[in-house]
Amino acid sequence: MPTNQSSRAFWDASQHAPILPQAREALLSALDEGWADPRRLHREGRTARLLLDGAREAIAAALGVRTEELALTGSFELAAQAGVLGVAAGRARVGRRLIHSTVEHSSVLKSVEWLANQPSGASVAAIGVDGLGRVDLDDLGRALGADDSPGLVAVQLANAEVGTVQPIEAVRDLCRARDVPLVCDLSAGAGAIELPAVDVGFADPTCWGAPGGLGILTTRTGVRWRSPWPAAA
């Protein structure tokens, strides 16, 4: 392959993509002008707040959610944990049965495993996939139809390793029939395909050209969600 910079091709963008020019420009503006505490009322703080609010509005619009439904975290892993643990905490009185596909990201699987090992005793149902990595809808329907009330269902939108896009609309319909929130890893689909409406979604912006150090969590208005972390001082 030619070594000329303009001839380079980047084939592995399933986890991290090159930073987009717009993202680089926004990052540099934030470093130069948005360094102050956005909670402060001095000029520098107000400038930081304007930059932060503008970024939140742009991200929310791209994901098809309201600005107030969007939260920013320090990493994708934190966003995934907050999504799973927060819904489980918010629905603890409704149901402690956690349903997930067997091909979820390790952050989701570890969160579910952690909840299952707590004294409160969450139960877990793992839904299998077919030879192409698609979730078994019949198996999911049986799990949702169990006697105990499920707390959540976690199914990713797409798989970054094999490229399988899950039938999320069908999964969502099954969940809504039982009034169970759908928690969805949007990372491999965001920026590439149209995003479905889900109850709780989380994503890694580095997958579609953002700088590192950021995770995205969306929580639809009306979903029971409670912070799993200790209250800040």
Side-chain angles (χ1 to χ4, degrees):
M1 176 179 291
T3 58
N4 188 304
Q5 183 75 10
S6 63
S7 300
R8 292 182 61 205
F10 186 78
W11 296 102
D12 183 15
S14 65
Q15 294 293 337
H16 289 80
I19 296 179
L20 294 171
Q22 306 94 307
R24 182 184 299 276
E25 182 179 348
L27 175 60
L28 293 176
S29 296
L31 292 174
D32 291 339
E33 304 175 29
W35 51 267
D37 186 343
R39 297 171 297 180
R40 303 302 180 186
L41 299 179
H42 47 60
R43 183 177 64 182
E44 289 78 7
R46 293 197 300 272
T47 298
R49 169 55 64 180
L50 287 173
L51 288 169
L52 177 59
D53 288 346
R56 288 172 54 84
E57 290 172 4
I59 295 171
L63 296 178
V65 299
R66 300 175 182 175
T67 306
E68 60 269 23
E69 296 176 331
L70 173 72
L72 304 178
T73 69
S75 69
F76 165 77
E77 288 76 15
L78 283 174
Q81 291 172 1
V84 174
L85 300 180
V87 173
R91 288 176 53 84
R93 295 184 179 181
V94 179
R96 296 182 180 276
R97 194 161 190 255
L98 312 176
I99 303 172
H100 67 85
S101 82
T102 55
V103 292
E104 295 304 302
H105 189 276
S106 59
S107 296
V108 173
L109 299 178
K110 290 295 184 181
S111 297
V112 170
E113 179 183 356
W114 184 83
L115 287 168
N117 289 328
Q118 296 306 298
S120 56
S123 61
V124 178
I127 306 302
V129 297
D130 63 16
L132 295 177
R134 291 179 301 221
V135 67
D136 187 327
L137 294 175
D138 291 335
D139 196 6
L140 175 59
R142 287 189 290 270
L144 283 167
D147 293 337
D148 54 339
S149 180
L152 62 85
V153 171
V155 176
Q156 61 185 202
L157 172 59
N159 188 281
E161 282 74 30
V162 299
T164 301
V165 178
Q166 298 290 354
I168 288 298
E169 288 80 5
V171 172
R172 183 185 61 201
D173 291 345
L174 287 171
C175 292
R176 288 183 175 176
R178 286 296 311 273
D179 195 25
V180 178
L182 171 59
V183 179
C184 188
D185 176 0
L186 302 171
S187 293
I193 61 177
E194 183 177 354
L195 298 181
V198 297
D199 297 304
V200 175
F202 40 86
D204 184 351
T206 63
C207 293
W208 68 90
L214 179 64
I216 293 173
L217 173 67
T218 65
T219 307
R220 182 177 59 81
T221 301
V223 173
R224 296 182 182 181
W225 187 92
R226 190 174 70 206
S227 174
W229 320 122

